[in-house]
Amino acid sequence: MLLNRLRLIACLFLVVWFSASPAETDLLDEGISAEEVNLRIDTFDEMDQLFKALRFKIVNQRSTNREAALIYSNQLVTLSYRLPDLFDLPSSREQFPQSRSRPEIWTRKARFDHLLEGFVINLEKIDDEIKDGDLTKAGRLIDETAKGCRRCHNGYRYR
């Protein structure tokens, strides 16, 4: 009798265990909030505006105003330091309709983290070049970084 009850409990446990999908389990366990997803979106939106302004100033206008460019680049670097922590926890479109994160961020996390790290490093290099007064080199790095943004967005972001 006891053995039958144990078998029944074991069977029920297995049914429940295998019926929950790993993605749902991960999202529930991790506990990301809508505020964190919104902070991720707001951070990227702010960075997008700053990056476009910096690119326009240095690449399009060929500005030599180092101080004005530094305002943008310093803010970009500061905001970029938030990004790795903002992508620690997964989010799904089903749970967070406002999320722009494709599932590939979570299924190919090492690749995403590598691209994100490269982005942050490029922003630091741009800031350094502007500080050193080499706006031409900064402009080339800005263009290179913009290409990386597009590649990352194509694979990891909903439009």
Side-chain angles (χ1 to χ4, degrees):
M1 182 83 151
L2 180 61
L3 187 57
N4 286 339
R5 285 186 186 169
L6 289 174
R7 284 184 187 153
L8 178 64
I9 292 171
C11 285
L12 288 173
F13 176 78
L14 289 174
V15 168
V16 170
W17 176 266
F18 286 112
S19 67
S21 76
E24 291 171 342
T25 305
D26 288 346
L27 288 172
L28 294 175
D29 289 346
E30 298 297 338
I32 189 167
S33 68
E35 291 79 22
E36 291 166 310
V37 172
N38 290 335
L39 179 59
R40 186 189 297 163
I41 292 167
D42 293 344
T43 299
F44 267 122
D45 285 348
E46 187 173 353
M47 290 182 75
D48 183 50
Q49 290 175 347
L50 289 167
F51 189 81
K52 286 177 180 174
L54 179 64
R55 188 175 191 196
F56 184 76
K57 181 170 280 309
I58 291 180
V59 176
N60 296 24
Q61 291 183 328
R62 298 186 189 278
S63 173
T64 57
N65 186 343
R66 191 173 68 93
E67 289 76 25
L70 271 174
I71 293 170
Y72 295 120
S73 67
N74 285 332
Q75 290 177 27
L76 279 165
V77 169
T78 300
L79 287 170
S80 75
Y81 292 151
R82 282 187 195 170
L83 295 176
D85 290 339
L86 291 175
F87 285 94
D88 276 346
L89 302 175
S91 61
S92 71
R93 276 263 170 94
E94 293 79 28
Q95 190 174 10
F96 302 101
Q98 76 274 27
S99 178
R100 298 176 188 165
S101 303
R102 288 182 180 255
E104 289 81 2
I105 288 178
W106 321 116
T107 60
R108 296 174 35 205
K109 186 76 166 103
R111 176 75 176 137
F112 175 78
D113 288 344
H114 174 73
L115 292 172
L116 186 60
E117 180 183 353
F119 176 63
V120 172
I121 289 169
N122 276 0
L123 292 177
E124 291 171 333
K125 288 179 183 177
I126 291 165
D127 191 59
D128 290 342
E129 292 301 333
I130 294 170
K131 285 176 185 170
D132 293 343
D134 194 343
L135 298 183
T136 302
K137 192 169 183 179
R140 284 193 297 268
L141 281 168
I142 289 168
D143 281 340
E144 178 185 316
T145 303
K147 290 175 189 170
C149 292
R150 278 186 227 105
R151 277 191 301 272
C152 196
H153 284 185
N154 289 340
Y156 295 105
R157 179 182 180 216
Y158 288 114
R159 299 198 182 266

